[in-house]
Amino acid sequence: MKDGKPYVSTTNACKLCKPLGAAVAFRGIEGCVPFLHGSQGCATYMRRYVISHFREPVDIASSALGEKHAVYGGGPNLKKGLLNVMQKYGAQVIGVATTCLTETIGDDVGQILREFRAEFGQELKLPELVHVSTPSYEGTHMEGFHAAVRAVVEQLAEPDFGPKHGPVACLPGFVSAEDLRGLKTTFADFGLPMTLLPDYSESLDGTAAADYEKLPPGGTPVAAIKALGGSRACIEFSRCQKDSLLAGSVLRDTHAVPLQRMGLPIGLRANDEFVRALERISGRPAPEALVKERGRLVDAMVDAHKYISGLKAVVYGEEDLAVGLTALLAEVGIHPVLVATGGEPVRFEEEIAAVTEGLVPMPLALKGVDFYEIVDQARTLAPDIVVGNSKGYRVLARELNIPLVRVGFPIHDRFGAQRVRHLGYAGTQELFDRIVNAVLEKRQEESPVGFMYI
């Protein structure tokens, strides 16, 4: 039993483990080494997943606990591991995330880190030490990601009691490296200085280097994180997560930073909301280049309407991304018949209802499901297209013989996942083009005579 309900086993989960999300978030901080307090296998598994998606070398440190530590505790190994990371990497920040093992045996990581500072703080220059609770037996990689970002803000942001004139804080969630670069460009177009947290646009999608770099360049500077309490505003992308999990709540409640929380800017309406927020904060109208991007997107939607109107889609993946994708599909006349996520966000069905209202019928919205349940439902709904990550290819798209448009994390069976765009008018345009072309390619392949014009 769990929370009074019968426990049901998972078959090919539609989610990944909590500390993996934390490790990605920590990689978006300048000079930060992610550190998993647990067994060596956890770090190896997560490195494999992140490297396969981003195509970059990724180091994740581990306290490498064994059977003995499960009995006597992992504190000594954690301290020794921190010293090793300091010596080998010269890290500015070490982000410590717990795992199933250390949560189960009850290691008090906060207390261990306080002891570490007391033991070594006088003789050594210590990096910033941030810790977050991320047991894999509950939650998802998205919750781990958000929990890590919140922990960074809670533990590093300093009080600022003066006027709020600092850069705008932007908390985008788990999006692609290309999306992060696009957000920087958009803020710059409005003349708005901003602090992006986390920012792995370079650390997880860098340039070719002659020699291996233990700590790749890029990431949100520690000084900028400490100054977040003086931000003039905070924009946070999340419609589904509970308030207590999100970093924007810390800036609002602890530092009195005005918070604007919204969904991922995918589709027309979500992007319009994002642009209006930037206009209010900057006091400037949207730049002409952005207005033209919106116009081209509207034109493309009109042009492609005859190819996709009335089609049915299955959408799955990270909850906020699934809501954003559903909004786009509904706007262009594709009917999402099933929208699913492996997490259990507090607001999912109601957000799906909000983005589809007045456009298409309310889809079946499922949370806390695995791919066995998704496929079981999809078979009866006869979808024309699937939108989600690589994990659904074999069991869903291939099983039903329908095209899969790959978005989200992980994407392991295609190249360039870190450069897939979703956000902004331009990102929505690229995503929309991929959806339409997937439909056309399927029709072309199945045509008995083939065709060269549409």
Side-chain angles (χ1 to χ4, degrees):
M1 300 287 286
K2 180 182 178 182
D3 299 327
K5 296 182 290 185
Y7 176 79
V8 179
S9 64
T10 296
T11 304
N12 193 3
C14 186
K15 61 180 180 180
L16 298 166
C17 68
K18 209 168 182 180
L20 186 150
V24 173
F26 285 138
R27 278 302 296 258
I29 298 171
E30 186 177 45
C32 182
V33 175
F35 190 114
L36 297 187
H37 184 34
S39 69
Q40 182 64 50
C42 292
T44 302
Y45 155 72
M46 290 171 207
R47 287 181 64 249
R48 175 258 179 189
Y49 251 84
V50 177
I51 290 170
S52 182
H53 180 90
F54 287 99
R55 311 286 175 174
E56 293 285 357
V58 176
D59 286 354
I60 299 177
S62 171
S63 52
L65 304 188
E67 292 88 345
K68 179 181 73 174
H69 310 104
V71 178
Y72 296 106
N77 264 44
L78 175 54
K79 294 175 184 178
K80 184 177 180 180
L82 293 174
L83 292 172
N84 287 339
V85 169
M86 290 166 55
Q87 179 184 2
K88 294 179 182 297
Y89 291 89
Q92 299 177 44
V93 183
I94 301 177
V96 181
T98 59
T99 60
C100 294
L101 173 59
T102 48
E103 289 283 346
T104 300
I105 65 177
D107 269 4
D108 186 341
V109 174
Q111 178 59 34
I112 296 170
L113 294 184
R114 285 189 288 273
E115 294 172 2
F116 182 82
R117 293 186 184 98
E119 290 175 28
F120 300 102
Q122 296 298 321
E123 56 188 79
L124 298 175
K125 182 180 179 181
L126 301 183
E128 299 289 350
L129 301 174
V130 178
H131 66 281
V132 59
S133 173
T134 51
S136 296
Y137 49 73
E138 66 176 19
T140 69
H141 63 293
M142 281 307 304
E143 291 180 53
F145 184 98
H146 286 301
V149 177
R150 181 182 173 104
V152 167
V153 173
E154 282 180 324
Q155 296 169 41
L156 295 185
E158 298 174 346
D160 189 319
F161 302 106
K164 304 298 183 183
H165 294 317
V168 176
C170 181
L171 309 175
F174 195 169
V175 296
S176 75
E178 190 65 34
D179 282 329
L180 297 180
R181 289 190 284 267
L183 287 171
K184 292 180 187 179
T185 299
T186 300
F187 275 81
D189 288 343
F190 277 92
L192 281 172
M194 59 99 80
T195 297
L196 191 63
L197 180 67
D199 179 10
Y200 43 84
S201 61
E202 301 299 327
S203 57
L204 286 177
D205 189 27
T207 58
D211 299 305
Y212 175 70
E213 299 172 294
K214 292 181 180 179
L215 283 174
T220 311
V222 174
I225 298 173
K226 291 184 175 183
L228 283 174
S231 301
R232 71 182 74 178
C234 174
I235 293 179
E236 185 169 41
F237 298 145
S238 179
R239 297 178 65 127
C240 295
Q241 300 294 348
K242 56 187 177 183
D243 193 72
S244 60
L245 182 64
L246 299 173
S249 306
V250 178
L251 292 178
R252 179 196 61 205
D253 300 338
T254 304
H255 301 277
V257 174
L259 172 63
Q260 175 82 48
R261 187 173 287 152
M262 62 188 71
L264 287 167
I266 301 175
L268 273 177
R269 293 184 296 180
N271 271 292
D272 288 348
E273 181 184 6
F274 178 43
V275 169
R276 286 194 296 269
L278 294 178
E279 288 176 328
R280 287 193 299 271
I281 296 169
S282 68
R284 298 184 183 184
E288 184 64 21
L290 204 61
V291 174
K292 289 184 176 180
E293 284 181 5
R294 186 186 191 280
R296 283 191 288 270
L297 176 59
V298 172
D299 184 63
M301 289 178 170
V302 173
D303 291 342
H305 188 262
K306 60 185 176 181
Y307 304 121
I308 59 173
S309 177
L311 296 183
K312 295 187 289 185
V314 168
V315 179
Y316 64 87
E318 296 93 351
E319 44 268 36
D320 282 303
L321 177 60
V323 171
L325 294 170
T326 301
L328 170 61
L329 295 174
E331 288 174 352
V332 300
I334 296 177
H335 296 189
V337 290
L338 170 61
V339 185
T341 184
E344 299 197 25
V346 291
R347 294 180 299 276
F348 188 62
E349 297 95 335
E350 64 189 84
E351 294 299 341
I352 295 296
V355 298
T356 57
E357 185 178 7
L359 297 175
V360 295
M362 171 68 181
L364 177 62
L366 301 176
K367 61 183 183 179
V369 295
D370 60 16
F371 278 101
Y372 178 86
E373 297 168 276
I374 295 172
V375 174
D376 192 46
Q377 292 288 345
R379 286 195 187 100
T380 67
L381 296 171
D384 302 289
I385 192 168
V386 180
V387 186
N389 57 53
S390 291
K391 287 172 68 69
Y393 167 68
R394 181 178 56 83
V395 297
L396 185 56
R398 188 179 177 91
E399 165 83 11
L400 301 179
N401 191 30
I402 53 178
L404 168 64
V405 178
R406 290 164 175 81
V407 296
F409 180 91
I411 299 177
H412 291 158
D413 59 344
R414 289 295 183 272
F415 186 76
Q418 70 275 41
R419 292 180 289 275
V420 172
R421 294 185 69 182
H422 315 78
L423 308 187
Y425 295 122
T428 299
Q429 178 73 78
E430 290 186 18
L431 179 57
F432 179 59
D433 289 346
R434 293 172 59 221
I435 292 170
V436 175
N437 285 328
V439 172
L440 295 176
E441 183 177 359
K442 179 66 172 175
R443 290 179 182 172
Q444 192 175 40
E445 289 177 350
E446 294 184 342
S447 170
V449 296
F451 53 86
M452 295 176 61
Y453 297 94
I454 58 172

